[in-house]
Each structure stands twice: as structure tokens, then as C-alpha cells.
Amino acid sequence: MNGIPWLTVAGALPLLGSIVLTLIPPVPANSAPGDVEARDKLAKVLALAFSVATLAWVIVMATRFSTSGPTYQLTEQYSWIPQFGVHYALGVDGIALVLVGMTAVLMPVVLLASWHDADRGATRRSVKSYFALMLLLETMMIGVFEATDVFLFYVFFEAMLVPMYFMIGSFGEGPRQYAAVKFLLYSLFGGLLMLVAVIALYVYAGDSPATGHHGTFLLSSLVHVALSPTAQKWLFLGFFLAFAIKAPLWPFHTWLPDAAASAQPGAAVLMLGVMDKVGTFGMIRYCLELFPAAVSYFKVLILTLAVISILYGAVVAIGQKSMKRLIGYTSVSHFGFIVLGIFALTSQGQAGATLYMVNHGFATGALFILAGFLIVRRGSDRIEDYGGVQKVAPMLAGLFLVSGLAGLAMPGLSTFVSEFLVLAGTFSRYKVAGSFAVVGIILAAIYILWMVQRTTHGPVSESVASFRDLRARELWAVMPLIALIVAMGVYPKPVLDVINPAVKATMSQVHVTNPVPAHPAPAANAAHAPGANSSHLKGNQP
Amino acid sequence: MTTLAATGVLHASWLLLAFPVFGTAVLLLGGRRTDKWGHLLGCAMSLASFAYGVIAFFTLLGYPAADRSRDLHMFSWIPVDGFQANIGILLDPLSISFVLLITGVGSLIHIYSIGYMAHDTERRRFFAYLNLFIAAMLLLVLSDNYLGLYAGWEGVGLASYLLIGFWQHRPSAAVAAKKAFIANRVGDAGLSLAIMLMFAEFGTFNFGPVFHQMLSGSTSGGTGITTAIGLLLLLGACGKSAQVPLQAWLLDAMEGPTPVSALIHAATMVTAGVYLIVRSNPIFNVSPDAQLAVAIVGAVTLLVGAIIGCAKDDIKKSLAGSTMSQIGYMTLGAGLGPAGYVFAIAHLLVHGFFKAGLFLGAGSVMHGMNDDVNMRRYGGLARFLPVTFVTFGLGYLAIIGIPPFSGFWTKDGIIEAAWDKGGTTGYILAACAIVGAGITAFYMSRMMFMTWFGRRRWEGEEAPEGAPEGKAYHPHESPAVMTWPMVLLAIGSVGAGAFLMLGQRFMNFLKPVTGAPATPHGVWSEPGIIALVLVVAGLGIAWFMYGRVPVPSIAPRGSFLTAAARKDLYGDAFNESVLMRPGQWLTRLSVYFDSRGIDGLVNGLAAFVGGSSGRLRRIQTGYARSYALSMLLGAVLLVAGLLVVRL
């Protein structure tokens, strides 16, 4: 709690940037177009600078995190509303840290990719508000991962909606108002259920000797509150429904394709890549850690919904005619994998699900951004309007393919690692669920490669012939993501080393251990696999 | 056999992978700047791997037979509590045989491609993909655990996808590429389930510990599990090796440039399924049911492939049917247990020589015939492409199994191993293999007669009816950069079989990994002689039908069987009616259900509750602050209300 408030600064930097952007004075109404452009450019560059500064700060912060240290590190805690025991409490474990890192990486990428999204086309919209909204959103998203006070978490969770609502409703495309309102109503509905649960939690905490009969929202105290199984079930549902809508899990997913299709690609990346992860992050942090008894009661139901999400999302994705909606539905499928990994309750499933959140952010982010580049060039989102892009814009088509391959979990790319961990972790406990989920990898090949074929292969269609290949700005936006996708596919160990201790802590909090293999391979045969540094045999003790 | 750490020269065996990975990276990232010398770099990287492979091979030979299994731990790939995946290299007699095949034949095909792709503006990208393929294939055969193998397994699938669809502007190529990838993915799903099952049962998927479990018999109570693992591995093998029921993609894969067909879809990648089964021999040895399934799949496929090969007029597709059939032989061999493993691998190696040679020969013919693949428009070409003719002819003698050419030794071994198995099963399997040998002789002789002999059915400068638009034929011999690889492969087609099999040379080399038949085979055996008689009969029938009389330029209608074989024995029709159509309906139904069902319900509810859209529109004033204010107000009211109720 002493020294540099790393986490606060990480969240405050984009907020500061957002404020600075709004302070840029508006151009007088009768000024030349050049002045407007210059002013817009200033706003963009400032936004980018603040997001890069945040990224740099988060990188330095990550080096301060010790993989052998306590579960929560870099903690800060101040009393905020003492009357209600509300604290401004921040802290990160390995899971939260990697998600904060992902947010910080995606932000500059998204800003670069959205460079002209606000000032393109006939209707000019306020460039500086768009970029200020994005920075504001970053603050909320970082805050939601860092909060260790349930009330603070709730505040960020709801506040996150505001900038996104405007990003879709004011700056989106197509039936954007409809999509934005739908997004808002869904989220508010879930949020209200959660609020009820949050407050009930406070009340229970006040009744519990574990907190000295002081109501509190602090996660560190709440985990010690003994709740009756019935109370756990109701509170679990309150949290879980909010997270299932956010994640989104079938059948709470229908807002997502609309929102993804109406948002600008950059906003959609933030929504699919980061905001929705708050749902799955919340499942680990709150549903699992606070209500272990309810987890074992509901897990089969949730696993079923997760498997349905995987298969249903994939099948519906195959039938989509629009690229953005297609990617939206693939995310329904991918979120199914994440939820599956979380509720399989094995360390491989948990670690895989956490890694999946990060990898999905980068892979789907890259895919969506590249689809956005295609859409800007053609002015259409419909897959059938394309064809032969490979011939005229090989770099664009090639990177589109690479990020598509990440979407279908090709080994060598990061998504394979997380997907296989989720599947193996699920399979070791639930063979049926694991087997059904494996069908998802076949469907993924179909929806990705069919889209790639229809857009980039075949004869060059007339409207595509004039495409130019990626510009430098566009290349700079996606290359970091592609590089990360490859690097984390070949050598994910540094990230897993950060995640593993947190997974261990969650597992012990939920009182579960990995299933023991029926015929564990003997420890003595290291000679048979000299490479394996023997840890592969430690198998499955608690 | 225990595995020892890789030391000395073998400590650098990561170079095998590093060379082609480097080539791929430079050629893909370097872009157009590398156009000038890209093909040379590609060849150099492949040759460098080959050179190291030769050194490693002789280093292994220098060790006593029991010490020839060497492991190099490279790095910890996926470390999670209870789950440890490493990237490591296992060099042993089995893997080094594959390394030499992949990099040796691979290098020859790289060199050939310099000439074959000379006029393609995207030649550099082609070499990048070829290097990628070499890297993935080497990872597949060198990995010391199943997950690393799986990474290579999918990697070769990707390279195959990229190369089949290399001319992606042709819709047929793009469709074929996608089809190959998806069919492979079905097999891959089987392989990944097998790995998960190993993980769930044994807590590991490293070769050493898994095989140790099998050998120690501690799974005797769980033979159901080993059978399940075996069958799932077989499903993976069927996808990659185009075995029934996942065979349909291979014929379409011929859309790729011919060097790709030679390297990936004949000599190496499609044989990965055989590698997988032979590598997993401790698993199959303790689950007779799975082993029998392997043998049956092999026997069925060898007949299906051969029958398809008989009916195709497209020289590449006929060869593709042949590949399917020859891999069927290998799979059959691999399904016969220790009696067959050595022959399966030996056949795989010599097949690599003669089939690659045949494909390169076909490519050379196409090169001279304006890329026409229809053998009915060939004829009498021997005079115009003498080198191609001779090398092709030697490959032909090898594949139909005329002694002393390569195929004779290894195919005979498989037939005899099936025969020795005895019992009804053994004799049925052997009968399939023997009949297959006769059909092989028929369709290969048909190809020889139609292509090289007889009256010429092409017109000099004029394009015949139905030929590719406005193109004329100028049959000519290919440049030296293309003929030399064919010559080297022909030498292998002639001598490799005798070299490997005489004096049990290869058997003794491979024995520590795969075991060997109880009694060594002699050169001549009863089933071998029967097979030889059928081979001569097949050749005779082919001469009677295609050598003695002129071949019609337009294909005759043919019998019911011919019609079926031309349609790949209805493999595609089956896929279409059983998988694709219902799949499309399911997709459409789901899309409809999603927009009308779930979403309709939600929207209906919203309309019912709030008369939403109308009212929302009225309060949408367009000012950010009014939204924010109303939301804040709402939230505050709500919180206050709830607090009051609760406290």
C-alpha cells in the first residue's frame, strides 16, 4: 500500500487523457477544413500518446509482479464510504494482471485502427469525443479488473456501459440506435440482478462473525463469510446471470451480434475483446471464489450451456452473410470454451480459460480490425460482395488468413494453447462435454475457411479490383497483434507462469483438486522422456 | 529400448527444424524483395536440413543398436499444474528414416520446382510454403510427445491447404483446399481426443511414459481405453492419409501444382498416418481390436484406391487413386503388428521414391503439354520426352512390383505378412492385397500405354477439341533442373527396395523401435508368386485394352463399375448427402431460430414491457448529458431503493 500506486496510475492515465481531449477547444464554426483536420489530428495523436503511456506503465508494473509472491499484489486500499464499508481497494492476481495487460495492449492498436472512423463519410462526428470515450472506457475496463472491493467492481462494471453505449449509438453504423439500446437494456438488466446480490452479500457479511459483524464489500473479507447453501445459490445466480449476459453465454447472447455489427470495428474489438471478458473474469473471481457450494450445484447446467454455446455459436456463424456478425457469433462459440474451462474446475481448464481470454482478445481483435479494413475499402459488410482480395492486396489477405487461423486454433498460434488446455482440462473430468466441445474445432475450420475463401480467393470481383494493400498505419495497428499471437503460440510459458499461481489459489478457494488419472504414469521413468523435467508426472495432487 | 539424452552432434538436432523455419520466415516477411533469390534460399534450407539429417543418421549408426534412441529437450511449451507439454526431439531409427525421406525427396522436389514454377510470378511464396511444409513435417516425425506431433500434424495440414490452393484464383483450387483442410480436421479431432484420453488416463502424453504403461501391462484392466485410443488414432490417420472413410479430399487435392502433389500428396504428408500408427505400436500391440480395424481400413482402401485409379483419364487423379491404394498397403502392413511394421515403413520409403518420381514425370509431361492432364489426349510421347519416359518407366516397374525393382520387395513383404497372419482374417487380407497388386498392374500399365505408346492423339500446332482454350501442344523434354531430380528418384525406384530388404538390413535397423516378424521372409513366397502372376495378368489385360487397339480420344461410357469409379466410388456423393446437405439445413434452421426464436422472444418481451422503441425514441434527445444524467439518476434511485428495503 506504500510506494507508487501502480494500479491507480494505470487506470488514471487514460482518464487523464480523456479529460485532456475534452479540454481541446472546439474550432470556430467558420474556420477552414484544414484547421478542423489539424485539431482532429491533435486529438488523435494525444489519445494515442496516452494509450501508449498507459501500456508502458503497465509493462513496467508487470515486472513488479512476483510469480512467487502473494496472490494479490500491488494492492491499494482506502476507505471510500465508511458508512457502508465501501473501500477503494485495488489489487491484481495473475488473472487480473494478464487481463489488464491485454487491455493496455489492445488500446493503442484500436486507436490506430479507428483513426478515420469518426471523420469518414458524409456525417462528420466529433473526433475528439470518440477518442475521449475510448480512453474513458479503458479506465473503466482497467478498473473493473483491478477492483478488489465488490462495490467498486460494480461501479466500474456499470460505468463501463456508458462510453460503449455512446460509441455504438452515436458513432456506429446501420441500425445503431437499436443495437445500442438493446446492448444497454441487456446489460442493465444483468447489472441490476448483480446489484441485488452485491447488497445481499453486504448484509450477510454484517451478520457474519468472520467480519466482526461489520458489513463490508472487501473481497478479502467476503471469502471468509460462511453462507448457507441456499443463500449461495441465490447470490450465485445474481452474479452469474449478469456475467452470462456480458460474456455472453447462450441463450443470453442475442444482443452481441447486433452490437458487433453496428459498432465500428475498433469499438467492437473493445467490446468483444475486453468488455465481454469482464463476464468470464467475474465468473472466476466472484462466482467461483465466493460461492463454492453453489458452483458444484450449478456446474452441470452451466457446462451444458457452455457446450451449447460452442456448437450453436459455430453453426450460426457458418450461416452468416455479414462478416461482422459472423465474427460476433464465433465469439459466442469462443466464450463457450472459456466458460467450459472455468466450470470444469481443473487447473488446465482454469489456466486455459484465462489464457483464452487474452488470446481471444488478440486474435479476434486482429480478425475484426482486418475485416474492418476490408469493409472500409469496399463499403460493405456482406461476404458475397468480395472475392479475390488475395490477388490485389496480398498482405491484407495474408494477415486476414493468419488471424482467421488463430480463430480456428491452429497450433503455433496462441489460441491453440488455450483451447487445448480447456479441452484437455474439461475432458479429464467430463468426457462427454469434452467430446462434444471437440466438434467445435471442426466447425471452426468451416466458418473461418469458408469466409476466407469467399472473401479473398477466387476470381477478382469488380468492386475489389481497385483495393490497395495495407497502409503503414494499418500495418502498424495489426502487426503487434499478429506478433503476439505467434509469440504466445510458440512460447506461452511467461504468461502461464503468471496465471498458474492464481489458478492454484482459486482452485483451493473452491476446494477442488484435479481428477487423478486412472493409470498414472510412474514417476521413475524420466529416462523415457529425458526432456520432461519430471513435472509432467506430478499429475494431480492438490 | 531406453531413450538416452542426445549428445555430441545430435545436440544440434534442433537445426533440422530451424533451417526450414528460417526459410519460411524470410520468404514470407521479406515479401517481393526476396523474389530474385527466394527459390534458392528455399532449396538451400531444405538441403541444409538434409545434410544435417545425413550426419545425424551416421551418428546414430555409430551407436550400438540399443542406444539409438536419443532425445533432445528443447523447451517447456505449455506448463500448467498437472499438465506438461514440451517441445522435444526424439531421434531414433524410425524418425531418422523419415527425416531422410522428407528432406531428401523434399530437396529434390524443391529443385525440380525451380524449373516447374519458373514462369509463376508467385514462385517465392511457393517456396515459402514448401519450407513451411518441411518444417511442420519434421516436427511431426521428430516430436517426442503426442502434442508436439499434433502441432506438426496440423501444420502439414495448413501447408497442404496453402499449396493446394496456391492458385487460389481458380475457384476449384480454393474449394479443394478448404475441403482438404476440413476433412483433415475431422481426423485431427480424433487425434486430439486420443491425446486427451491419454492425458485423462495416464496424466501424460509423452511417448516414453505412455508406451511404458502399455508395456508394463498396468492397463490390462482398461483394454477398452487402449482400444478407444487406438481407434481415435486411426481416425486421425484416416484423415491425414486419405483412408476410407475420409478419402475423398485427396483426389481434389490434385488442384495443387504438381510438385506439391509429388511431395505432400504422395511421398510424405499423406503417409503421416502410417507413421502415427507405427510410432504408436505399443498401443496397438496391446489392443488387437484396434489393430484389426487398422488392417481392415488398409485393405478396403487399397482396393478402393486401385479401382478409382483404373477409371481416371486425368493422369494426376489416376496417380492420386494409386497413392491412396499404396498407402492402403502400408496401413494394412501397420495393422499386422510387429510382423508388418517394418514392411509398412519400407514400402512407405520406396513409395516415396517411385511415387514422387511418377508425379514429377507427370508434371514434366504436363509441362510439355500445356498443362493438359487428360491422358486421352496424350499418346506416343516416349519419343518426345525420352528422359521423362525412362524415369517414369522405372517408377512404373517399381510400383507394380516387378522383381528386382523396389516395390517388389516391400509389397511382397506386406502380402506375405498378411498371409502369415493366417486364419480367415489373414487370408482375406492377403487376398485383398494380392488382388490389389493385379489391379495396380492394370491401371499403371493403362497409364503407360495411354501416355507413352500408341498413336499420338494430340495435334501439333492446333488445339484439339476440348483442350484448354487456344493452346497448342509442343511436347518437349523438360530442362535439366527438372530431369535430374527425376533421374535420382528413378535410381531409388530401382535399387532402394533391394538395398533395404536384402540381408534384413532395414529390419535390423528398425527392430529396436517396431519389433520384427518372428521368422524372416525369403525372397520368394507362395503368395508373392500368386501376386506376380496377377501382376502379369493385369499388365496383359491393359495391353489388350489400351496397347493393342487405339485409345479413343473421348472416353467411352463404360460399365456401371467404371461410371462409379469415375465418380470416386461415390465418396463425394456420400459426403454431400449425409454431411453437407443436412449440415446446410441445420445451419439455416439455426440462423432462423436465432433471429426469430430467441431474439424474437427477447424483442417481443421488450416491446411488451416498455413499448420500448416508441418511448425510447421520445426520450432520445441526442444530448449526451441528458443520457448520463438519466442513467445516473436511475442508478441512484435504484441503489437507494434497494438499500432502504434491505437495511
Side-chain angles (χ1 to χ4, degrees), chain A residues 84 151 154 158 161-162 165-166 177-178 181-182 184-186 188 192 195-196 199-200 202-203 250-251 253-255 257-258 312 315-316 318-320 329 347-348 351 388 390-391 401 405 408-412 416-417 420-421 423-425 427-428 431 434-435 438 441-442 444-446 449-450 452-453 456-459 479 489-493 496-497 500 504 514 516-522 525 527-533 535-541, chain B residues 1-5 29 32 71-73 75-84 86-87 121-122 125 129 144 147 150-152 154-155 157-158 161-162 165 168-171 174-175 177-178 181-182 185-186 188-190 192-193 195-210 212-213 218-222 225 583 586-588 590-591 593-595 598-599 602-603 606 612 616 620 623-625 627-628 631 635 638-639 642-643 646-647:
Chain A
F84 294 114
F151 192 84
Y154 175 77
E158 292 288 45
L161 300 176
V162 181
Y165 172 77
F166 289 108
Q177 297 285 351
Y178 167 78
V181 170
K182 194 168 174 182
L184 192 70
L185 287 180
Y186 256 98
L188 280 179
L192 289 180
L195 179 64
V196 174
I199 291 165
Y202 173 81
V203 174
W250 186 91
H253 66 281
T254 59
W255 63 270
D258 285 323
Y312 182 91
V315 168
V316 179
I318 294 172
Q320 292 307 308
Y329 277 105
S347 21
Q348 303 88 40
Q390 164 87 50
K391 197 89 183 161
L401 176 65
L405 291 173
L408 61 79
M410 171 61 63
F416 169 72
V417 176
F420 196 84
L421 279 173
L423 286 171
F427 191 85
S428 66
K431 296 217 165 36
S435 306
V438 167
I441 72 171
I442 301 171
I446 298 177
L449 293 184
W450 199 29
V452 167
Q453 182 202 326
T456 65
H457 295 169
M479 277 321 276
V490 177
Y491 198 60
K493 188 168 178 290
L496 281 169
D497 285 345
N500 282 336
K504 204 170 232 168
N514 291 330
V516 179
H519 311 281
N525 58 13
H528 287 268
N533 36 15
S535 54
H536 66 286
L537 303 167
K538 286 198 207 136
N540 297 291
Q541 67 282 60
Chain B
M1 169 154 98
T2 48
T3 305
L4 306 171
L29 297 177
R32 295 248 158 252
D71 191 290
L72 176 72
H73 171 66
F75 60 90
S76 168
W77 183 24
I78 311 179
V80 171
D81 193 23
F83 182 103
Q84 176 67 44
N86 296 312
I87 296 293
T121 51
E122 297 277 325
R125 194 160 57 87
Y129 294 164
D144 64 0
L147 200 65
Y150 184 78
E154 289 242 292
L158 171 64
Y161 167 81
L162 293 170
Q168 38 71 28
H169 48 90
R170 295 206 304 233
V175 171
K178 185 190 66 184
F181 193 97
I182 291 168
R185 262 267 158 142
V186 176
D188 295 356
S192 71
L193 274 173
I195 299 172
M196 288 173 213
L197 199 50
M198 286 177 207
F199 172 69
E201 290 297 314
F202 314 129
T204 175
F205 35 75
N206 290 340
F207 290 156
V210 170
H212 183 266
Q213 288 301 96
S218 67
T219 52
S220 52
I225 298 293
L586 178 67
T587 308
R588 276 180 213 148
S590 310
V591 172
F593 171 74
D594 197 63
S595 57
I598 301 183
D599 209 25
V602 169
N603 285 343
S612 65
L616 277 167
Q620 266 169 14
Y623 289 106
R625 50 180 180 274
Y627 287 106
M631 278 178 67
L638 211 88
V639 172
L642 282 163
L643 283 177
R646 279 277 158 181
L647 294 178

Side-chain angles (χ1 to χ4, degrees), chain A residues 344-356:
Chain A
L345 301 178
T346 58
S347 21
Q348 303 88 40
Q350 295 268 318
T354 306
L355 194 60
Y356 209 126

Side-chain angles (χ1 to χ4, degrees), chain A residues 293-540:
Chain A
V295 169
S296 61
Y297 182 80
F298 284 113
K299 65 187 174 191
V300 175
L301 173 70
I302 295 170
L303 289 171
T304 311
L305 292 180
V307 171
I308 293 176
S309 287
I310 294 172
L311 301 179
Y312 182 91
V315 168
V316 179
I318 294 172
Q320 292 307 308
K321 295 188 170 72
S322 126
M323 272 193 278
K324 284 162 129 186
R325 290 184 77 88
L326 191 150
I327 300 172
Y329 277 105
T330 68
S331 288
V332 173
S333 184
H334 289 149
F335 276 102
F337 275 106
I338 300 175
V339 175
L340 189 70
I342 292 173
F343 283 90
L345 301 178
T346 58
S347 21
Q348 303 88 40
Q350 295 268 318
T354 306
L355 194 60
Y356 209 126
M357 293 188 221
V358 178
N359 292 339
H360 173 267
F362 295 154
T364 303
L367 190 62
F368 219 117
I369 287 173
L370 285 158
F373 294 161
L374 283 170
I375 293 166
V376 165
R377 282 166 171 70
R378 175 67 181 79
S380 164
D381 179 30
R382 295 172 64 80
I383 295 173
E384 63 179 20
D385 289 342
Y386 294 83
V389 176
Q390 164 87 50
K391 197 89 183 161
V392 284
M395 237 180 339
L396 174 55
L399 292 178
F400 192 60
L401 176 65
V402 173
S403 43
L405 291 173
L408 61 79
M410 171 61 63
L413 304 179
S414 59
T415 42
F416 169 72
V417 176
S418 40
E419 194 159 299
F420 196 84
L421 279 173
V422 165
L423 286 171
T426 306
F427 191 85
S428 66
R429 198 188 291 276
Y430 304 101
K431 296 217 165 36
V432 177
S435 306
F436 272 106
V438 167
V439 176
I441 72 171
I442 301 171
L443 298 175
I446 298 177
Y447 62 63
I448 290 290
L449 293 184
W450 199 29
M451 174 171 74
V452 167
Q453 182 202 326
R454 285 179 292 171
T455 49
T456 65
H457 295 169
V460 180
S461 80
E462 227 172 275
S463 51
V464 166
S466 59
F467 274 24
R468 59 172 290 177
D469 214 337
L470 291 178
R471 291 154 205 276
R473 168 185 63 83
E474 294 171 325
L475 206 55
W476 274 102
V478 287
M479 277 321 276
L481 292 186
I482 303 285
L484 277 169
I485 289 170
V486 174
M488 286 173 60
V490 177
Y491 198 60
K493 188 168 178 290
V495 184
L496 281 169
D497 285 345
V498 173
I499 294 172
N500 282 336
V503 166
K504 204 170 232 168
T506 310
M507 295 278 287
S508 74
Q509 177 66 29
V510 192
H511 312 298
V512 288
T513 51
N514 291 330
V516 179
H519 311 281
N525 58 13
H528 287 268
N533 36 15
S534 80
S535 54
H536 66 286
L537 303 167
K538 286 198 207 136
N540 297 291

